[in-house]
Amino acid sequence: MRAIRVASAALLGLGALALTAPAAVAKSDAAGITPFGFAVVPSTVAAGGQVALQVDRDHGGCRGSVTVSSGVFDTVTIAPRRSSATATVDWDARPGAVYQVTFTCDGVSGSTGLTISGGRPTPEPLGPTVPRGVHAGEGGSAGGFDAGEIGLGVALIAGAAGTAYFFARRRGDVGGVNGG
């Protein structure tokens, strides 16, 4: 009986976690399903920042060159046998705007959105630099998430755990009344 309660709690927790985890590589868009996966990482970037353009070639859906185009960066070509490339977002990209990024391979296209954040990255200095120590405090396990996504994830996990606890306690109380 206890195993059923533990299994139920574990499944609820995994379900909540699955709902909050971002998809690594998208396989579909509004126009339909593509035979290859693709992603823009990160999906939110400041104007002037860099993004990685990734194509899933492991499942054989894309054999040729991949052309990646958007109104926010120059067209990029990913050569066959390569699965990624980088692009630099234009400095004049509008903060808060979502730009379409289209991946085309073997005559099939799919697209995803790229959101421009409000800040601007600091340009790299040209010429010799003075060592200043480690730049810490950014990225880590929360890189790419915003406060709303983190809050939603915490709420879903807490709700799943609370529900599992409630039902586990309720099930334990069913036979606990002594009828003297």
Side-chain angles (χ1 to χ4, degrees):
M1 193 69 117
R2 179 167 167 73
I4 293 173
R5 285 184 270 172
V6 171
S8 296
L11 286 174
L12 282 171
L14 285 174
L17 188 60
L19 289 173
T20 60
V25 177
K27 278 205 157 203
S28 65
D29 63 82
I33 297 176
T34 62
F36 59 93
F38 54 88
V40 178
V41 179
S43 60
T44 301
V45 66
Q50 284 195 334
V51 292
L53 307 170
Q54 300 173 343
V55 177
D56 180 17
R57 293 188 185 266
D58 293 337
H59 298 94
C62 176
R63 302 238 184 252
S65 297
V66 179
T67 303
V68 185
S69 59
S70 178
V72 74
F73 56 78
D74 294 334
T75 299
V76 175
T77 301
I78 303 174
R81 297 189 193 97
R82 305 267 319 170
S83 60
S84 67
T86 59
T88 302
V89 175
D90 296 337
W91 281 98
D92 60 349
R94 290 187 333 255
V98 178
Y99 291 88
Q100 287 296 102
V101 179
T102 303
F103 291 76
T104 304
C105 181
D106 300 333
V108 178
S109 296
S111 60
T112 187
L114 174 62
T115 303
I116 307 302
S117 66
R120 294 197 186 273
T122 305
E124 293 294 322
L126 299 176
T129 60
V130 178
R132 296 184 197 134
V134 176
H135 181 72
E138 293 181 16
S141 62
F145 290 105
D146 65 6
E149 289 174 332
I150 292 171
L152 177 63
V154 168
L156 284 172
I157 291 171
T163 303
Y165 178 77
F166 172 78
F167 284 115
R169 296 284 297 172
R170 186 170 152 204
R171 178 165 276 186
D173 290 342
V174 170
V177 176
N178 292 331

